[in-house]
Amino acid sequence: MTDKTWVVTLAPGCDVAAARRGLTEAGFEVQSVMDAIGVITGAASDAAADRARGVEGVADVAVDQAIDIGPPGGSHTW
C-alpha cells in the first residue's frame, strides 16, 4: 500500500499540538505544521487517513493535489 500526501484542516481554536499527536498515533507521518492557518500536511495510507478523520480537532482530511499554473506569460494554465 502506497502512502499519499494529505492536507489536514484543523477546526478553529483546536489544540494544534494535541491534533498533531493524534494524527501521529493514527499512523500519519506529519511533514509540516502551519499552525497560523490551521493546516497540517503529511503522508499516510488511506486507512490512516480514515483514522485521522476521527482525531479531535480535525475538520477535514483531503488528498493533496499538485497544481501547475505554467510559466509566466505562457498561453496555457492548468
Side-chain angles (χ1 to χ4, degrees), residues 3-76:
D3 286 353
K4 298 175 185 172
T5 302
W6 300 89
V7 178
V8 178
T9 304
L10 303 176
C14 85
D15 181 339
V16 176
R20 179 184 181 150
R21 284 191 302 276
L23 290 169
T24 300
E25 290 169 4
F28 201 86
E29 181 186 329
V30 173
Q31 296 170 336
S32 178
V33 178
M34 296 166 269
D35 56 345
I37 60 171
V39 171
I40 295 176
T41 63
S45 65
D46 289 334
D50 285 341
R51 290 190 299 273
R53 289 180 175 93
V55 171
E56 185 173 346
V58 171
D60 185 61
V61 179
V63 174
D64 191 17
Q65 298 291 320
I67 297 176
D68 181 2
I69 61 170
S75 61
H76 296 283

